[in-house]
Amino acid sequence: MGYGQQSPGGEHQQQGPWPPYAGQPPAPGGGAPWNAHPGPPPSPSGGRRHSSVVAVVAATAVVLAAGITGFLVLGDEGKPEAGPTGAGGVSPSASPGEPRGGAEDDTAPLVPGWKTVTNPKRGIAFDVPVDWAVKSSGWVTYVAENGDPEETPLVGFAAPAILKEKWCRSDDDGNGTQEDTPLASVGSRAEPDARDTAEAAGENARLWVYGSYAQPAKEKVTTGAAKPFTTKSGLTGSVATATSTGVDGPGRCAYDGKATAFAFENPAGETLSWTFVGVRGVDDEVPEPTVRKILGTVRLVDGTP
């Protein structure tokens, strides 16, 4: 699978095993109809797990997801058209600690001392602790299959916040480039083709853990049944969790992972989702109470057309 991130400048940079993170643009998915002009595809990663984060300038994308879910429409969660900004650039609206996308009073943090993350395209907001890095609303993260030269996304989300982007660094494929693995990430997206919120939550959690940590061993991923959940704002939907066990990849940044996904409907009847993904079984693992506290702040806000 592939993962990295792309800054608004569109420069692709490889990253280490999993979470949605730091800067680089993915190449178009095999056969997927992207309305974008991505950068050149990265070289094969030698079996390392990767994710990709891309800055969306203007595009609506549809990608073929792995597994039984069929097509997942990522919209702004897809691969972008590269903009003129330099690599690593972030929109001024993404300053740490500040709401994004024209957020006003309705996106003030629900947790005192935390900061708000906003996906204005989807009309979603949630809060994260102050030590998380809030990316611009144009950033997209996704995971792809190991060794896929086109990095066809398995699943992705937009407008992420990231914890410890350089938590683990290694050059497992021996190409001379150090690749960074973040500790955790959160983001949101649309789920237009999900049959219901339970399916959307379960598949999001499963695909993130498989793509970020366990692949190619699908049997190492355990996905729990989706359950009803209501956030502080009264937003109702379904929440599901997935974990990997026994990941034993060759790289020094190969770890087990976990994901929590919450899917819900907006007043227009559209299914949306929020997902947390992070490393599991390490000393600085994000504790479950913190994940649930972040989840509890998910809410709908005024979005941009």
Side-chain angles (χ1 to χ4, degrees), residues 177-212:
T177 300
Q178 293 291 316
E179 298 169 348
D180 297 325
T181 299
L183 180 61
S185 179
V186 287
S188 55
R189 57 174 279 160
E191 302 285 352
D193 290 337
R195 289 177 295 184
D196 52 43
T197 59
E199 178 187 73
E203 279 300 281
N204 260 290
R206 181 185 71 83
L207 287 171
W208 276 115
V209 172
Y210 167 72
S212 303

Side-chain angles (χ1 to χ4, degrees), residues 151-164:
E151 291 193 6
T152 306
L154 299 173
V155 66
F157 54 48
I162 304 165
L163 178 62
K164 297 183 180 179

Side-chain angles (χ1 to χ4, degrees), residues 8 55-56 89-95 100 118 120 134-140 158-160:
V56 175
V90 177
S91 157
S93 65
S95 301
R100 295 182 303 201
T118 305
V134 178
K135 297 299 183 182
S136 74
S137 59
W139 282 61
V140 174

Side-chain angles (χ1 to χ4, degrees), residues 73-283:
V73 180
L74 298 189
D76 281 354
E77 296 84 49
K79 298 178 185 179
E81 178 176 350
T85 330
V90 177
S91 157
S93 65
S95 301
E98 294 182 2
R100 295 182 303 201
E104 298 180 11
D105 291 346
D106 60 353
T107 57
L110 301 183
V111 179
W114 283 22
K115 54 190 176 183
T116 299
V117 181
T118 305
N119 182 340
K121 179 69 174 181
R122 304 303 173 195
I124 300 170
F126 57 91
D127 301 338
V128 293
V130 293
D131 54 343
W132 287 66
V134 178
K135 297 299 183 182
S136 74
S137 59
W139 282 61
V140 174
T141 294
Y142 68 83
V143 287
E145 288 283 358
N146 287 338
D148 179 359
E150 294 184 330
E151 291 193 6
T152 306
L154 299 173
V155 66
F157 54 48
I162 304 165
L163 178 62
K164 297 183 180 179
E165 292 184 69
K166 299 182 180 180
W167 177 77
C168 183
R169 171 169 284 193
S170 64
D171 179 19
D172 293 343
D173 55 12
N175 67 356
T177 300
Q178 293 291 316
E179 298 169 348
D180 297 325
T181 299
L183 180 61
S185 179
V186 287
S188 55
R189 57 174 279 160
E191 302 285 352
D193 290 337
R195 289 177 295 184
D196 52 43
T197 59
E199 178 187 73
E203 279 300 281
N204 260 290
R206 181 185 71 83
L207 287 171
W208 276 115
V209 172
Y210 167 72
S212 303
Y213 305 102
Q215 66 168 302
K218 294 180 179 180
E219 69 278 5
K220 293 184 178 181
V221 179
T222 300
T223 306
K227 299 178 180 179
F229 186 84
T230 302
T231 68
K232 285 184 176 181
S233 69
L235 185 61
T236 60
S238 301
V239 67
T241 60
T243 58
S244 67
T245 303
V247 168
D248 54 1
R252 66 181 297 267
C253 294
Y255 293 93
D256 278 311
K258 62 182 182 180
T260 296
F262 174 54
F264 49 93
E265 290 187 357
N266 64 14
E270 300 167 325
T271 301
L272 308 173
S273 67
W274 165 98
T275 304
F276 163 93
V277 187
V279 179
R280 174 174 172 260
V282 297
D283 290 343

